[in-house]
Every structure is written in structure tokens, then in C-alpha cells.
Amino acid sequence: MRALRILLILVVILGGLFVALDRLAVGFAEDEAADRLRTAENLSAAPDVSIKGFPFLTQVAGGELDEVEVGIRDYEAATGDGAGKIRIDRLRADMKGVEFSGDFGSATAAGATGTAFIAYDELLKTAKPEPTQVAPGVTADVVGLSDGGNGKIKVEVRATVLGTELPEPVYVLSDVSVVGGDTVRVQAGELPRLGGVQLAESRVRAVTDFEQKIGQLPGGVRLDKVEPARNGVEITVRGSNVRLVG
């Protein structure tokens, strides 16, 4: 019985040491991965990296991690026209089946899903920046975006008739969608009358409808779906053979 107790104590101690060593190793790996991602994506700060699954050391021995979560704040994505960037407030990706090289110089995930959040004031920058003439003596421009409910974006349009700004803005409920895996499209449903004037549809849509390309996301993930939220749009992202580093 004494020998059995000693054996059990040794098993518990060794098991505790293994868990402690495993957690130290995963912590080190997370910090190293975050630093490499920061450098690879030219980020202003290291992202949050969380390696899931236990034990970590046996995953390392097999050369593949079950799941890695990555979170990035204030990511500057390319707009595709070379004219500037669009800020993604938060970008989160859940990577599955992450294979890595022996020196950890490269890592590729078999698949990735996640979300990206863009605030309305950031998306508004892509609308027409200057008033557009929609009819003789009538100009209009988009001055605000907000949640319109039922999956719609509410677009606030300011109109000026013969040099006088209308006292009340015009609101348009618009659909929002993803086009081509890299573009967010905002498209009005029922078109408004501006200043009591029925205008040509193409003229009104030149103001109310716009697109924003969002490219060069980390690892090459692409836009999948978009939904309006309280303070911005929530975009689902997806990717396969996503290269994290290397």
C-alpha cells in the first residue's frame, strides 16, 4: 500500500509538472506567433493569439495545431484603389488545422472563419465626399449612416435646392451585401424625392449607392457576408489555406 501511495504521488507530481511545462510552452508559442504576425502584417501592436487544445506539446510533436484564434485591433485594410486605407475596428479569425515548419518560420491554416467590424463613420468615408448635382438647382450628399433595422442601413441624405438646404434630411433604407469576396456594397431600396422633385433613378443612385473594396486582409481571408449592427457593420470572413506567417 505504501508503494502504491508513493507511485500515485509521483504520478500526480509528474502530471502537474507536465501541465505546467505545457502551459509555459504554449504561452511562449503564443507570444512568438503574435510577434511574427505583427511583423508580417506590419501591425502597430501585437495581435492577440490563443492556441487551443491540450496538450500543446503533443500537437507540436505532430507538426499541426488543432485551433488558433487571432484577434487584431484597428487593422488598416487596403481600399484597392491605392488612395488610402479603411480601418477595421476589430478583426477576429479562428484558424483550424494549422501546419507549421520545424523552425516555426511558416504556418498555414487549412481553414479560417471569423468576423470584422467596421464603424459607420469609417464606412461613410467611401460615400460621395462632395455634393452631387442630381437635377438643375438640386444637389445632394450622404452625411450619415446608421442601423436601419431588419438588416438595413439607414442612409442620411442632405439636399440643397436652389442654394437653400432643406430643413430636414432625407433618410433612405439600403441593403448591404458583399460582392466578389472583397467589396461591401450599399444599395438603396425605395428611392427618395428630394425637395419634392421626382428625379431620375440614376441621378439619385449616384448619391445614395456606393461600394467599398476591402483587400489584403491577413492571410488572404475574404469577405463572406455582412450585417448591419448598432454602431457599424459586422462582416463574416472566410478562407482556406490561410498563410499566417512565412
Side-chain angles (χ1 to χ4, degrees):
M1 289 296 294
R2 184 170 181 273
L4 180 59
R5 284 198 298 270
I6 293 174
L7 179 60
L8 290 175
I9 291 170
L10 286 174
V11 169
V12 170
I13 292 174
L14 291 174
L17 289 173
F18 176 78
V19 171
L21 179 61
D22 191 80
R23 294 302 88 191
L24 285 173
V26 77
F28 174 81
E30 289 171 345
D31 291 343
E32 183 68 16
D35 188 61
R36 293 197 179 217
L37 273 172
R38 180 187 62 79
T39 302
E41 298 294 338
N42 195 28
L43 304 176
S44 59
D48 295 325
V49 176
S50 178
I51 299 174
K52 304 299 184 179
F54 178 83
F56 167 69
L57 292 175
T58 58
Q59 295 182 66
V60 171
E64 180 177 322
L65 302 177
D66 296 337
E67 181 179 357
V68 179
E69 289 184 359
V70 177
I72 301 174
R73 292 277 183 178
D74 299 325
Y75 181 78
E76 298 287 336
T79 57
D81 57 10
K85 303 282 188 178
I86 184 168
R87 189 186 75 252
I88 299 176
D89 285 20
R90 57 181 182 271
L91 175 63
R92 183 193 61 79
D94 184 9
M95 313 287 185
K96 302 284 190 179
V98 180
E99 295 183 350
F100 52 88
S101 61
D103 61 355
F104 300 99
S106 66
T108 303
T113 58
T115 57
F117 181 84
I118 300 176
Y120 285 124
D121 60 352
E122 189 70 15
L123 191 61
L124 179 61
K125 295 177 182 178
T126 67
K128 294 289 185 182
E130 300 293 338
T132 299
Q133 182 172 313
V134 293
V138 182
T139 61
D141 60 333
V142 175
V143 295
L145 301 175
S146 59
D147 182 13
N150 297 318
K152 305 282 187 179
I153 286 182
K154 184 162 66 175
V155 179
E156 182 180 347
V157 179
R158 175 177 56 196
T160 300
V161 179
L162 299 177
T164 300
E165 183 179 322
L166 297 183
E168 296 292 335
V170 176
Y171 294 99
V172 182
L173 289 179
S174 298
D175 296 312
V176 58
S177 59
V178 168
V179 181
D182 63 357
T183 301
V184 174
R185 173 182 290 172
V186 177
Q187 190 170 35
E190 184 177 349
L191 296 176
R193 296 168 64 93
L194 301 178
V197 180
Q198 184 66 48
L199 305 171
E201 179 176 337
S202 60
R203 292 278 189 171
V204 178
R205 289 197 180 280
V207 176
T208 60
D209 297 1
F210 59 93
E211 295 182 350
Q212 174 59 67
K213 190 169 184 178
I214 303 172
Q216 297 179 7
L217 294 179
V221 295
R222 293 172 63 80
L223 312 184
D224 183 42
K225 296 185 297 183
V226 58
E227 291 287 341
R230 180 178 179 183
N231 298 311
V233 291
E234 196 85 34
I235 304 171
T236 302
V237 299
R238 294 185 182 276
S240 57
N241 295 322
V242 176
R243 184 172 292 275
L244 301 178
V245 293

